[in-house]
Structure formats: structure tokens, C-alpha cells
Amino acid sequence: MTAPAADHPASRATRRLTAADVAAAGRLIAKGGLVAFPTETVYGLGADATDPMAVASLYAAKGRPSFNPLIAHVLSLEAALALGRFDATARMLAAAFWPGPLTLVVPCEETSPVCDLARAGLPSVALRAPDHPLARALLEAAGRPVVAPSANRSGRVSPTTADHVLADLDGRIDAVLDGGETAVGVESTIVACLDAEPRLLRPGGLPREAIEAVLGRSLAEAVSDEAAPLAPGRLTSHYAPNAAVRLDATELSAGEALLGFGPDHGLGAQAAAYENLSPSGDLREAAARLFAALRRLDASGAARIAVAPIPATGLGEAIRDRLERAAAPRG
């Protein structure tokens, strides 16, 4: 049922751009390209947050082992309101600290264009308005929210100069927008505003004390991953649809839906419902389609979803991780 898997980023000439080239950098992102750029914290690897193929290419370029929620960068609270639902606390924090090194995790708007893959399939979205002139100029030029995890290979030290970016990603991304050394040097602080208790998910460039001074109370601590898979998501069964999930299926039982990968050898026609992540066996395409395809199959009403074998290499490892979570026994 499978075909040779492909997800390795094609070698490309990585351009070093300057502030004078920011419009060209914005066009690259709008066309699905990958552009590293400076924020006040560290250099981020930018991709169109609304384009699942661009986000999948970003994961491949970083060699990121799992589909963690990515932060979508915007220019303002007004822009963020089209993407997420801000309660009074979230609005207060955005008003106090944006633009700046604070990321807010809020419920995702139903009409939000931020793609499922950027949100790792979660019903929440992570948002930040950066305070760096080149980052802000790039967002304006791109004309869309831009996801931007740190611009390094996964597991490496976060980059604070364009040279750091090129040492890790030269030949794997389209361009780096050189804005000199970043000022803060550590990632943004992440606070979840999903209920009555704002929670600190990650300490970072904005001190806890400054946030608590604005709130007039202490931040709650993040609860365990099992209870709140927010950033990143690690709840074993969080990604489970209502239907049971069966992995590495090479044949179908009556009434099963099929989540295919590669040529289906006629099994799709036998399925109660059918989605193919990538008929050609392209793991980047499969990653881009994963969460939406699972939702559509679940909406079909089938009691069980059979999943074709997917190789555990490259992005396939992350795809299988999410599917294994979906297939986990539920208490």
C-alpha cells in the first residue's frame, strides 16, 4: 500500500538578505517559502501560518521530531483577534506587553486561517506580536500571520545572529533576513489564557514578575502534559477522533474508513470513507493533510479508521507519533 517516502528538503541556494530586501522576503513567505528573520528574542524560521505545505516544509527543514504547536506572529492585537479568542486577561496582557517577548495561547477562532498543522491539531492557537523593526516589516510585507520557531536544526542552540542560522540551515531554507544580533537572546515567555487561571507554560524573555504585576496576582503553574497538552502537545489520547484507530493496516474490515498513504491498490474503493495523505508517498504532503484528513474521516461516522503503513523516517516519525496517540487505549 505504500510508496517510497519523500520529505527531505531539497537543497537550495539560501540567500542572505538585508533590510532593503524585506519586501522580497515577504513575497517569498507569501509564495510558501522559508525565511529566517530576527525578532527581539532569537531568529525565527518563518513560514506562512495559513499554508500547511509551507509549515510541513518548515518541519522538514528543522528536522523537528514532533508536530509541536507553533507560534503565529502578527502585527497587533487587532490582527490577533481574527485568529484567537481573547478574554479580559489576555487582552490586558497583550495591551501591556505587545509588541514584545510574550506569547499568548488562547482558544482558536473557528474561522481562524492558521492551519491545523501549525496548531498541531489543537483547539488553541499561540500568538505573539514581535518588537523588532525587521520582523514587523516582514509581517507587513507578507500580509499574513507567520509561524516562526527558532531558526536552527532541532535540538541545536537557538540562533541569535544570521551566521548562526546559516550554520544550521544553509541549503535548507530560501533566505535569512540579516538584522544583526538579537537583543533578548532567549525565547518568548508563553502564558496560556484558556480559562480563569492564566498559566505560565514557558519562562522566557519577559519576566514572570512583570506579568504578575500587571495581573495583580500570581500566575498558575502549567499542569502536567497529560492534562494540558498546550505547548507542546503530549497528551496520549488528545489527538484521538471519536472513531477507533487501527495502524499499519494492509486490508480492511467491513465498515472501516481508510487513511491511506501511497498507492492504495484498490482498498480505497472498499472503504466506508477514504482519505489519502499522499498518493505519491510524499511525507511533507502527508503531514500537511494529516489533521484535516482525520477530522473528515471521523465526520463520516465510521466506527473505525484503518491507517495504511507509514514509514517511521523523517516526518513519518512525527506522523506516526500523532497516529499512535490517536490509537492509544482510552480509559
Side-chain angles (χ1 to χ4, degrees):
M1 291 174 59
T2 60
D7 78 328
H8 301 294
S11 179
R12 60 187 92 181
T14 301
R15 301 163 58 192
R16 185 193 288 261
L17 304 177
T18 69
D21 305 309
V22 70
R27 289 193 295 271
L28 279 171
I29 286 181
K31 292 178 180 177
L34 303 178
V35 178
F37 63 96
T39 74
E40 71 277 22
T41 57
V42 299
Y43 274 72
L45 180 55
D48 180 355
T50 72
D51 181 349
M53 280 299 289
V55 175
S57 293
L58 182 153
Y59 278 113
K62 281 181 63 71
R64 198 159 179 159
S66 60
F67 297 146
N68 296 327
L70 300 176
I71 298 168
H73 294 68
V74 295
L75 281 170
S76 64
L77 174 58
E78 182 181 9
L81 291 174
L83 310 178
R85 297 195 298 277
F86 282 64
D87 62 13
T89 298
R91 287 173 182 262
M92 180 190 308
L93 292 177
F97 298 114
W98 280 5
L102 174 67
T103 293
L104 296 172
V105 177
V106 298
C108 190
E109 279 286 1
E110 290 186 8
T111 56
S112 173
V114 176
C115 68
D116 275 347
L117 187 58
R119 296 185 288 106
L122 295 171
S124 55
V125 62
L127 299 167
R128 179 163 98 85
D131 187 20
H132 189 291
L134 269 186
R136 297 183 65 78
L138 177 64
L139 289 171
E140 187 168 1
R144 63 205 64 214
V146 173
V147 291
S150 57
N152 56 297
R153 296 289 294 276
S154 190
R156 307 276 180 89
V157 177
S158 294
T160 55
T161 69
D163 286 340
H164 294 163
V165 174
L166 290 170
D168 262 11
L169 298 176
D170 192 15
R172 301 173 71 88
I173 65 176
D174 295 290
V176 55
L177 189 59
D178 191 344
E181 189 169 3
T182 61
V184 176
V186 296
E187 289 86 351
S188 64
T189 302
I190 302 179
V191 173
C193 295
L194 296 169
D195 52 36
E197 291 290 331
R199 298 181 184 276
L200 180 67
L201 299 186
R202 181 181 77 183
L206 181 66
R208 173 203 292 263
E209 292 79 6
I211 300 170
E212 291 177 343
V214 168
L215 292 175
R217 56 176 164 149
S218 298
L219 283 166
E221 297 299 322
V223 291
S224 69
D225 285 336
E226 277 298 307
L230 301 175
R234 295 189 58 80
L235 180 64
T236 299
S237 64
H238 177 83
Y239 300 94
N242 292 319
V245 175
R246 181 170 68 91
L247 303 181
D248 296 316
T250 56
E251 56 187 25
L252 287 179
S253 299
E256 282 188 319
L258 174 64
L259 184 65
F261 178 77
D264 71 7
H265 303 295
L267 284 184
Q270 304 172 28
Y274 177 52
E275 294 280 341
N276 195 316
L277 294 175
S278 175
S280 66
D282 185 325
L283 287 169
R284 279 174 292 179
E285 182 182 22
R289 300 194 64 222
L290 175 62
F291 294 111
L294 270 176
R295 284 194 177 91
R296 287 193 292 267
L297 288 181
D298 200 31
S300 74
R304 187 159 64 176
I305 299 170
V307 181
I310 295 172
T313 57
L315 286 177
E317 180 181 7
I319 293 168
R320 288 188 64 90
D321 172 75
R322 287 305 180 256
L323 290 170
E324 285 165 3
R325 294 176 192 276
R330 303 169 215 175

